[in-house]
Amino acid sequence: MMNGDKVMKEVEGYTYIEGGVCAASGFTASGLHCGLNSDPNKNDLCLLYSERPCVTAAVYTTNKVKGAPIVVTKRNLAKTGGMAQAVIANSKNANTCNADGEEKAQRMCELAAAALGIKPEEVVVASTGVIGQILPIEPIEAHVEELAKKLSREGNLQAVNAIMTTDTVKKEVAVLFEIGGVPCRLGGMAKGSGMIHPNMATTLNFITTDAAVSQSMLQKALDEIVKVTYNCLSIDGDTSTNDMVCVMANGLAGNPVIDKEDEAYACFKQALYLVMMNLTRMLAKDGEGATRLITCTVAGATTTDMAVAVAKSVIRSPLIKCMVFGKDANWGRVLCAIGYAEADFDINRMDVDVESAAGKIAVCRGNAVILPFSEEEAAKLLEEDEICINVNLNQGDVRATAWGCDLTYDYVKINGDYRS
Amino acid sequence: MMNGDKVMKEVEGYTYIEGGVCAASGFTASGLHCGLNSDPNKNDLCLLYSERPCVTAAVYTTNKVKGAPIVVTKRNLAKTGGMAQAVIANSKNANTCNADGEEKAQRMCELAAAALGIKPEEVVVASTGVIGQILPIEPIEAHVEELAKKLSREGNLQAVNAIMTTDTVKKEVAVLFEIGGVPCRLGGMAKGSGMIHPNMATTLNFITTDAAVSQSMLQKALDEIVKVTYNCLSIDGDTSTNDMVCVMANGLAGNPVIDKEDEAYACFKQALYLVMMNLTRMLAKDGEGATRLITCTVAGATTTDMAVAVAKSVIRSPLIKCMVFGKDANWGRVLCAIGYAEADFDINRMDVDVESAAGKIAVCRGNAVILPFSEEEAAKLLEEDEICINVNLNQGDVRATAWGCDLTYDYVKINGDYRS
């Protein structure tokens, strides 16, 4: 551990620290209200900068309709061979499905580059918000200089505020860990609340690290971890047009460059997992209108695909989501959602438990039969903030977790009138 | 047209008539309150009977957790080679995920058979309602005799009432048509409101006809029509454990038996389509908590699978469902849902329109760009009861329609406390 790292907690060699995207050496950030949002107290534009060019890996939405910023970012990273030095991002307007979208996204890169003294193609650009409305570029033009001047090691909170849309809490996580005795840091910020669903990284996620990693190993680690974190998250089953997760590694920690699947890679990947998994949990818990986090862990599967399919099937069931909101122990819906998971397994061998801080109820012990239970105990259990549905398929030794939230009146309210 | 048929309207040689499952010659039905439901004014048990054994075809849920009645019905039809003479069905309890489920379902067949003087394996049994609660068999035992005595040509309304759960309207349709100059009738009833999603026929659907059809051609027609009707319906994305559609043909119309894909088969299949398509629309419109019907027609696809995938993707998007509920012209969500449809097509060639009785708005004309529109006009358009989203992919000449409904506060309310 180094001076200046603000420790939160330590877990098996990984120490949670403060600082989000500015936790890693050499990264600064800033955010401000440029005027896209009608609320003057809400930031809507941010900048993230590394004093040294970064090896950069990214994963994008699988939606055929791709936001213009996604198209431009992809093009930029292709030009630079996966190197970037800054991110510019705005909320309130997704700059998607507009005739002038690419032109505006490109302009954002040029503005950021000019203010930072780098090339436009070294900038990652991202937008989130309403689709199909022309992005007013003037408020951005008028504020990029100020944004560059405001860059600081404490700017992470201003930046994370700027990417929030219907989010109710800021989402950032950072860890400190060692690679061969060299302290490294990896931190991230995320935004997302609705229109969140696999496949893909969910809405906007920016991750920074001072560890030295080759581009191919960084992309490999990201691809692997996305699969078991963001891709196991479902808020509402809608896959957005603007989803992006991008990891930037500037190498300032000074560790020997990770360029193969060795112990250092495993150690780095675990740091990436911890940050992305915690961001995933935060995204799930802050789903639009959500009152509780639902996690489903599936063990005893023969493959990761099987475990993920079953866990996601449970998480995305609107009936289970309503059941958790209504605190109604309608366990049949859980068995039903497991039953329609797109995976090939024997439904008659599984054990199912529902668990929370208030206790645990055995729902099923084989034969797809629901066991008798105490309604009183179930009601108490369902009062808690986090409800865990644990499934053991008893057919193998692979496990996976998926994260989601309940479906509430507020989800309907928020999405019945999103544009205003 | 024959004496006694109550005509509703005529469409291209098919005349909509009253009578539902009793419209076809030789079918009688009855329904009553046996006591499963706490509301004494709500029927919860029904019987459907044909005076002559029927060639029977069925399609069942694809859920791995299958209701005990599904298991027993399948076994019965396998025993008889697809012949049945009666249906017994109850609501309020799905008789699923219970240790004694099959025994109870079998008992229901025996009770019906004894009362009707037929064999237990000639009975189709179906249950709908809460999963995982033991089915009390006593109320059924006590009322089957009465049910058999009450069988009548006017019993369709009592029967359709008995299969309703959270349904707010009864769903029945019948048509009169001619096969080679011989008048035939085909009618059906359906129940379903939530937990409705492809794949599969949706919840409980019973269809009767007096046309003479071979078992293989009946099953073939059913399989084909399910694909473009019930399987294109989504209320909430949940696939139930008890879904079943069953068609019974008693041949009393006296037409030459349809046993190959000729003109008579096409004519019969169109009757089946009209009845199942209209029931599908009714199911969609009466989705739990729904205030409006949403239909999405996709033209210009290269395959039916492509057209269906795009249409379903639009229909099941919770954000589009909320948008329609909130009357919010957030067209970006429509393009977004088309974009994540699981089909391989060029997103840049499509035209999209949103239409209702109040008018039509051009949303997109290529390049996945949203066109400017009048908010006033859009607000007026979205006031209507039925909202049509029309997509032309401009890539082929295949079309398909999917049906759904909006997502409302009431859906959450109904499903947050379903068991009470």
Side-chain angles (χ1 to χ4, degrees):
Chain A
M1 202 179 316
M2 302 293 282
N3 297 340
D5 291 315
K6 287 178 194 156
V7 175
M8 295 161 78
K9 62 174 174 172
E10 254 189 273
V11 182
E12 290 168 12
Y14 292 83
T15 309
Y16 286 89
I17 56 175
E18 295 190 353
V21 285
C22 294
S25 306
F27 286 95
T28 51
S30 60
L32 51 70
H33 172 77
C34 78
L36 295 171
N37 199 309
S38 58
D39 176 0
N41 297 313
K42 168 73 179 74
N43 288 352
D44 49 19
L45 187 66
C46 71
L47 204 57
L48 173 61
Y49 175 70
S50 167
E51 61 181 67
R52 192 198 276 188
C54 300
V55 165
T56 303
V59 177
Y60 310 94
T61 182
T62 55
N63 199 309
K64 282 184 193 66
V65 177
K66 286 189 205 322
I70 297 271
V71 175
V72 171
T73 294
K74 272 188 163 173
R75 192 193 296 149
N76 287 351
L77 290 177
K79 259 191 214 168
T80 61
M83 295 299 288
Q85 200 164 351
V87 174
I88 183 166
N90 72 277
S91 55
K92 195 65 186 175
N93 187 310
N95 189 22
T96 296
C97 296
N98 299 328
D100 65 353
E102 287 188 36
E103 186 189 311
K104 296 274 177 72
Q106 177 61 28
R107 180 80 184 119
M108 284 173 69
C109 293
E110 286 162 7
L111 289 165
L116 296 167
I118 60 175
K119 292 180 194 147
E121 60 265 32
E122 291 171 323
V123 180
V124 165
V125 57
S127 299
T128 180
V130 180
I131 300 172
Q133 291 185 355
I134 299 295
L135 175 70
I137 196 74
E138 300 74 17
I140 300 173
E141 284 172 337
H143 289 86
V144 169
E145 284 287 348
E146 185 187 343
L147 212 50
K149 283 204 193 84
K150 282 181 67 177
L151 283 169
S152 80
R153 291 305 305 274
E154 290 74 40
N156 53 298
L157 289 176
Q158 293 305 311
V160 74
N161 181 279
I163 58 171
M164 289 164 72
T165 53
T166 51
D167 302 66
T168 66
V169 295
K170 62 181 176 57
K171 297 164 186 94
E172 53 170 24
V173 186
V175 292
L176 172 70
F177 58 106
E178 288 191 359
I179 294 180
V182 180
C184 299
R185 292 155 203 86
L186 188 145
M189 66 178 182
K191 91 99 210 172
S193 195
M195 207 186 259
I196 291 190
H197 183 64
N199 286 305
M200 223 305 291
T202 301
T203 65
L204 302 186
N205 305 268
F206 303 106
I207 294 165
T208 58
T209 181
D210 46 25
V213 198
S214 72
Q215 209 280 331
S216 63
M217 294 314 287
L218 188 62
Q219 187 70 49
K220 185 179 166 63
L222 178 60
D223 289 344
E224 287 178 25
I225 302 300
V226 159
K227 205 179 288 180
V228 293
T229 56
Y230 298 146
N231 278 5
C232 287
L233 164 67
S234 182
I235 303 293
D236 56 13
D238 269 300
T239 304
S240 143
T241 52
N242 287 47
D243 296 338
M244 180 198 295
V245 51
C246 136
V247 189
M248 300 169 78
N250 67 12
L252 282 174
N255 61 298
V257 178
I258 299 166
D259 57 3
K260 58 178 178 296
E261 286 191 62
D262 54 10
E263 205 180 310
Y265 174 76
C267 178
F268 174 78
K269 208 173 79 171
Q270 178 64 9
L272 191 60
Y273 172 75
L274 288 175
V275 167
M276 287 173 62
M277 186 270 283
N278 276 286
L279 288 173
T280 300
R281 278 179 62 92
M282 290 181 192
L283 286 162
K285 196 162 185 170
D286 193 31
E288 280 173 349
T291 66
R292 342 185 118 67
L293 175 66
I294 309 175
T295 68
C296 178
T297 297
V298 175
T302 54
T303 63
T304 299
D305 282 353
M306 181 189 292
V308 167
V310 174
K312 280 189 193 173
S313 190
V314 169
I315 286 303
R316 74 177 287 182
S317 158
L319 292 171
I320 291 177
K321 291 156 76 71
C322 285
M323 168 190 109
V324 170
F325 173 58
K327 304 170 193 172
D328 182 30
N330 199 336
W331 305 148
R333 293 180 179 172
V334 176
L335 267 62
C336 179
I338 296 169
Y340 64 69
E342 289 180 10
D344 188 21
F345 59 91
D346 180 356
I347 195 80
N348 292 312
R349 290 164 66 184
M350 70 186 175
D351 299 331
V352 180
D353 294 281
V354 178
E355 198 173 352
S356 78
K360 181 157 132 175
I361 289 180
V363 169
C364 175
R365 289 289 176 273
N367 301 316
V369 166
I370 294 173
L371 303 173
F373 63 95
S374 147
E375 287 280 352
E376 199 186 338
E377 213 179 303
K380 217 176 119 198
L381 188 148
L382 290 169
E383 285 289 333
E384 296 294 321
D385 278 355
E386 182 174 348
I387 308 299
C388 304
I389 298 169
N390 298 324
V391 180
N392 192 332
L393 298 175
N394 289 313
Q395 283 157 62
D397 56 6
V398 180
R399 67 162 58 218
T401 298
W403 297 266
C405 61
D406 55 349
L407 174 59
T408 70
Y409 298 127
D410 280 352
Y411 177 85
V412 177
K413 187 170 181 195
I414 292 165
N415 288 300
D417 192 19
Y418 179 63
R419 295 181 308 154
S420 59
Chain B
M1 202 178 317
M2 302 291 282
N3 297 340
D5 292 315
K6 289 179 193 153
V7 176
M8 294 162 79
K9 63 175 175 173
E10 254 189 272
V11 183
E12 291 168 11
Y14 292 83
T15 309
Y16 286 90
I17 55 175
E18 294 189 355
V21 285
C22 294
S25 307
F27 287 95
T28 50
S30 61
L32 51 70
H33 172 78
C34 78
L36 295 170
N37 199 309
S38 57
D39 175 0
N41 297 313
K42 167 73 179 74
N43 288 352
D44 49 19
L45 187 65
C46 71
L47 204 57
L48 173 60
Y49 175 71
S50 167
E51 61 180 66
R52 192 199 275 190
C54 301
V55 165
T56 302
V59 177
Y60 310 93
T61 182
T62 55
N63 199 310
K64 283 185 192 66
V65 177
K66 288 191 204 320
I70 298 272
V71 176
V72 171
T73 295
K74 271 186 163 174
R75 194 193 295 149
N76 287 350
L77 290 177
K79 260 193 215 166
T80 61
M83 294 298 290
Q85 199 164 352
V87 175
I88 184 166
N90 73 277
S91 55
K92 195 64 186 177
N93 187 311
N95 189 22
T96 296
C97 296
N98 300 328
D100 65 353
E102 288 188 34
E103 186 189 312
K104 296 275 177 73
Q106 177 60 32
R107 180 81 185 119
M108 284 174 70
C109 294
E110 286 162 8
L111 289 166
L116 297 168
I118 60 176
K119 291 182 195 149
E121 60 264 32
E122 290 171 322
V123 180
V124 166
V125 58
S127 298
T128 179
V130 180
I131 299 172
Q133 290 184 355
I134 300 293
L135 175 71
I137 197 73
E138 301 74 15
I140 300 173
E141 285 173 336
H143 289 85
V144 169
E145 285 287 348
E146 185 186 344
L147 213 49
K149 284 205 192 86
K150 281 181 66 176
L151 283 170
S152 79
R153 291 305 305 273
E154 290 74 38
N156 54 297
L157 289 176
Q158 293 305 312
V160 74
N161 181 278
I163 57 171
M164 288 165 71
T165 52
T166 51
D167 303 66
T168 65
V169 295
K170 63 180 177 58
K171 298 164 186 92
E172 53 170 24
V173 187
V175 291
L176 172 71
F177 58 107
E178 288 192 357
I179 294 180
V182 179
C184 300
R185 292 155 203 85
L186 188 146
M189 65 179 181
K191 92 97 209 173
S193 194
M195 206 187 260
I196 291 191
H197 183 64
N199 287 305
M200 223 306 289
T202 301
T203 66
L204 302 187
N205 304 268
F206 304 106
I207 295 165
T208 57
T209 182
D210 47 25
V213 198
S214 73
Q215 209 280 331
S216 65
M217 294 315 287
L218 189 62
Q219 187 69 49
K220 187 180 164 63
L222 178 61
D223 289 344
E224 288 178 25
I225 301 299
V226 159
K227 204 179 286 180
V228 294
T229 57
Y230 297 145
N231 278 5
C232 286
L233 164 67
S234 182
I235 302 294
D236 56 14
D238 269 298
T239 304
S240 145
T241 51
N242 289 48
D243 295 339
M244 180 199 293
V245 51
C246 138
V247 189
M248 299 169 79
N250 67 12
L252 282 174
N255 61 298
V257 178
I258 298 166
D259 58 3
K260 59 178 178 295
E261 286 190 63
D262 54 11
E263 206 181 312
Y265 173 76
C267 179
F268 174 78
K269 208 173 79 169
Q270 177 65 9
L272 191 60
Y273 172 74
L274 287 175
V275 166
M276 288 173 60
M277 187 271 284
N278 276 287
L279 288 173
T280 300
R281 278 179 61 93
M282 289 179 192
L283 287 161
K285 197 161 185 171
D286 195 30
E288 280 173 348
T291 65
R292 344 185 115 67
L293 175 66
I294 309 175
T295 69
C296 178
T297 297
V298 176
T302 53
T303 63
T304 299
D305 283 353
M306 180 190 293
V308 167
V310 174
K312 279 187 191 174
S313 190
V314 169
I315 285 303
R316 74 175 287 182
S317 158
L319 292 171
I320 291 176
K321 292 156 75 71
C322 286
M323 169 190 108
V324 170
F325 173 59
K327 304 171 194 173
D328 182 31
N330 199 337
W331 306 147
R333 292 180 179 171
V334 176
L335 267 62
C336 180
I338 296 170
Y340 64 69
E342 288 180 11
D344 188 20
F345 59 92
D346 180 356
I347 195 80
N348 292 312
R349 290 163 66 184
M350 72 185 174
D351 299 331
V352 180
D353 293 280
V354 178
E355 197 173 352
S356 79
K360 181 158 133 174
I361 289 180
V363 168
C364 175
R365 288 289 177 275
N367 301 314
V369 166
I370 294 172
L371 304 174
F373 63 95
S374 147
E375 286 281 351
E376 199 186 338
E377 212 179 304
K380 218 176 118 198
L381 188 147
L382 290 169
E383 284 291 332
E384 297 294 322
D385 278 356
E386 182 175 347
I387 308 300
C388 304
I389 298 170
N390 298 323
V391 180
N392 191 332
L393 298 175
N394 288 312
Q395 282 156 62
D397 56 6
V398 181
R399 68 162 57 216
T401 298
W403 296 266
C405 60
D406 54 350
L407 174 58
T408 70
Y409 299 126
D410 280 351
Y411 177 84
V412 177
K413 188 172 180 191
I414 292 165
N415 288 299
D417 192 18
Y418 179 63
R419 295 180 310 154
S420 60

